[in-house]
Amino acid sequence: MGMPDDLPLARFGEWAPDRASTINPANEAKGVISQQNTYSPLASPQAIGANAKTAGTCIGVAGFYDASGSPHVFMGDSAKLYRIEGRTAVDRSKTGGYVATADRFWRFEQFGTRVYAVFPGVNTQAYDLALGVTQFADVAGAPQGEAIGRVREFLLIGNGQLLSWCAFNDPTVWAFSTALQSGSTTLEIPGGNIKCILGTETGAIFQERQISRLTYAGPPTVWQRDIVEKRRGAISQYGAVEFGRNIFYVSDDGFWVFDGYQSQPIGINKVDGYFTKRLNYPYRNRVCVAWDPINRALLCAFPANGSTTLNELLIYSLTDNRWSHDDFSAEIFGEMPLLGYNLDTLDTYPGANGIDQPSLGVLPIDSSVFTESRRQPCLTDFTHTLQVFSGVARPAILETQEFSTTGSRRGRISELWPLVEAPASALSASVVGRAKGPGDGVTESAVAGASSIGKCGVRYDARFLRARLYIAAGSAWDHAQGVYHNASPSGAR
């Protein structure tokens, strides 16, 4: 676009709602992800298939890989467990189904060729990927649980404060045995219930108010357990997620990253206060986090402002250490592998309406379209349908840091030129400002659409100003950096 480079540029700042406006953060970064110190669009959720849905409210979702690298996605509601087959949710429950009515979630974990599922008050379930078409079944002798995870050659289950682990490399054996190294231990009551079990070579046990590190010690002890955090733990069953050797988690007091030895804050003086004030705390167990490896971002969905369901999304950019947010509506939020396409699902490929379409004819048979392996955030909407963030761009609102055009005097803004890779037709802008000092209320000018050359003609007079940019939903845009502005003094006094 034909924006002038001789005008001052106000950059889009960091969204940090916990800070006072006088510290000069941006007041808005909505529907976007911070990348390379600019902002990029957040994609809308899109169903992976019309029949990829549970019969009742979805209370569990996870994805795994078999020995060939093919992805497998599982879902659960209060009565059934499902496997996504051909982008359709197929009932793979044990005979008779389940009664899972508490305000909790199904949790899944893989060990070898088997996928295990736990829910409080329900017998631990297992599904064998190597057997092909099959169904879940009770795991004889296994404890019931709320949390499940794998550490080294052990499957671990948490139920209240009771932590149990299977025999060495054998999740079919759970009875105490020094020789087989299976056993259990009761964790400290003040730490609360076990919510998440994560780890690889070492384990991290997240209670509600405590974090323990597990180190394999061999028989007869099996595990050395060290308490590394007190009065801080995971707020929910889906409240922690791994990325590399780090674990990002949500606690009662905000957002943290745990490296196995200590926690570092990532939301303090930025969004922790915003989150804790807006969270509907009685429904805190519905807080869900997921890692977006493509955008290197942590996504947290939570029930806000009295809602009993997920209705707000916080987004943390690891590369930029900056936050953004968006409105949100979902039953559950999690992670799954990207699904490739096969002969049964080729007609759902974008642009295709059958296997003879040109959009498919250009693809080689070994295309990555058919052999996807990346992971991605996912959710279910209130029709219980599984969705991923692959749709059109969400509507976006960005705001610059506060600036003064003429020192201590009032200034009059007459033009705004957004610095963003986008069609002018998708852009509009306004100016918000304060006439005097920090105590003054903030007002907004009329919103002006961009002309064909990218200029937004606004008229606004104030002492302290911010430019606000609106980007229409569904538009193709990227790299929003800031807004050039044309201003002049507005008076002699």
Side-chain angles (χ1 to χ4, degrees):
M1 287 180 284
M3 64 187 67
D5 56 10
D6 57 341
L7 295 178
L9 174 67
R11 292 193 173 273
F12 297 124
E14 177 183 12
W15 182 70
D18 288 359
R19 297 178 187 169
S21 60
T22 53
I23 301 178
N24 204 26
N27 279 344
E28 192 60 277
K30 186 176 182 181
V32 297
I33 300 176
S34 181
Q35 293 183 323
Q36 302 175 12
N37 290 314
T38 68
Y39 287 99
S40 295
L42 175 67
S44 297
Q46 185 175 47
I48 69 165
N51 296 314
K53 59 183 178 181
T54 56
T57 300
C58 184
I59 53 175
V61 61
F64 307 98
Y65 304 92
D66 62 22
S68 70
S70 298
H72 298 267
V73 177
F74 295 87
M75 303 170 69
D77 59 24
S78 62
K80 299 177 182 179
L81 289 172
Y82 306 80
R83 178 173 174 244
I84 299 298
E85 300 171 17
R87 299 182 181 256
T88 294
V90 178
D91 181 6
R92 294 299 178 193
S93 308
K94 73 173 185 178
T95 302
Y98 313 98
V99 180
T101 57
D103 184 25
R104 294 292 185 269
F105 290 132
W106 286 101
R107 290 293 293 176
F108 300 87
E109 183 59 272
Q110 183 174 9
F111 195 105
T113 64
R114 285 186 164 191
V115 172
Y116 293 83
V118 296
F119 193 97
V122 174
N123 290 338
T124 295
Q125 300 294 294
Y127 180 98
D128 199 329
L129 296 174
L131 296 180
V133 177
T134 184
Q135 63 187 136
F136 280 93
D138 292 349
V139 181
Q144 297 178 356
E146 180 176 356
I148 188 170
R150 178 176 179 171
V151 181
R152 292 179 60 98
E153 294 83 11
F154 297 87
L155 190 66
L156 295 90
I157 293 176
N159 188 21
Q161 290 90 45
L162 181 66
L163 178 67
S164 304
W165 57 91
C166 70
F168 184 87
N169 206 31
D170 190 354
T172 66
V173 177
W174 292 86
F176 175 81
S177 170
T178 301
L180 299 178
Q181 302 186 55
S182 51
S184 63
T185 187
T186 301
L187 308 189
E188 293 75 15
I189 293 175
N193 291 341
I194 299 170
K195 290 294 181 181
C196 304
I197 301 172
L198 300 167
T200 50
E201 286 299 301
T202 59
I205 310 301
F206 286 80
Q207 295 172 256
E208 295 170 283
R209 295 174 295 277
Q210 184 169 285
I211 305 173
S212 299
R213 183 178 65 248
L214 289 184
T215 305
Y216 179 66
T221 305
V222 184
W223 298 107
Q224 174 184 321
R225 185 172 67 92
D226 301 293
I227 300 173
V228 291
E229 293 277 358
K230 281 193 171 182
R231 299 187 179 183
R232 181 181 297 124
I235 199 170
S236 64
Q237 292 172 274
Y238 280 72
V241 65
E242 292 174 296
F243 177 69
R245 291 186 175 272
N246 292 322
I247 298 173
F248 294 88
Y249 70 97
V250 187
S251 188
D252 285 343
D253 58 352
F255 297 88
W256 301 81
V257 57
F258 179 68
D259 63 4
Y261 295 90
Q262 62 181 349
S263 295
Q264 297 292 338
I266 58 174
I268 192 168
N269 295 325
K270 293 184 178 183
V271 299
D272 284 352
Y274 178 90
F275 167 75
T276 56
K277 290 175 183 176
R278 293 174 65 81
L279 172 65
N280 187 1
Y281 192 77
Y283 293 87
R284 61 193 178 278
N285 194 62
R286 297 182 181 177
V287 173
C288 297
V289 298
W291 182 256
D292 180 351
I294 298 173
N295 293 305
R296 293 178 62 83
L298 176 73
L299 282 68
C300 173
F302 69 103
N305 281 354
S307 175
T308 60
T309 59
L310 304 177
N311 67 338
E312 186 161 354
L313 186 68
L314 295 177
I315 307 159
Y316 172 69
S317 168
L318 178 63
T319 54
D320 290 356
N321 190 29
R322 298 205 299 187
W323 291 84
S324 55
H325 74 129
D326 201 9
D327 298 326
F328 193 69
S329 180
E331 295 174 331
I332 193 171
F333 190 64
E335 288 184 13
M336 60 175 278
L338 284 166
L339 297 178
Y341 294 84
N342 55 36
L343 288 176
D344 295 325
T345 60
L346 280 176
D347 60 349
T348 66
Y349 180 73
N353 187 24
I355 61 175
D356 296 326
Q357 290 300 306
S359 60
L360 294 171
V362 299
L363 297 175
I365 193 65
D366 60 350
S367 169
S368 62
V369 166
F370 308 111
T371 58
E372 268 288 5
S373 61
R374 296 174 296 173
R375 298 186 67 83
Q376 63 188 330
C378 63
L379 60 100
T380 61
D381 65 10
F382 292 111
T383 69
H384 326 311
T385 303
L386 185 61
Q387 301 185 338
V388 295
F389 290 86
S390 61
V392 300
R394 295 276 297 156
I397 306 175
L398 286 164
E399 197 168 287
T400 68
Q401 295 184 341
E402 191 171 78
F403 58 90
S404 177
T405 61
T406 55
S408 61
R409 296 170 57 186
R410 293 173 65 97
R412 180 181 296 110
I413 294 284
S414 58
E415 295 176 358
L416 295 177
W417 298 77
L419 180 56
V420 54
E421 297 175 7
S425 59
L427 305 178
S428 57
S430 67
V431 180
V432 295
R434 296 179 287 115
K436 296 180 181 178
D440 279 1
V442 174
T443 59
E444 180 179 8
S445 72
V447 178
S451 68
S452 60
I453 60 172
K455 179 182 74 172
C456 299
V458 297
R459 296 291 185 271
Y460 192 80
D461 189 304
R463 193 179 304 273
F464 301 100
L465 304 156
R466 301 174 191 263
R468 181 177 291 173
L469 176 66
Y470 298 88
I471 308 176
S475 55
W477 69 274
D478 207 352
H479 300 301
Q481 299 181 52
V483 175
Y484 290 102
H485 51 89
N486 191 2
S488 59
S490 60
R493 290 185 297 173

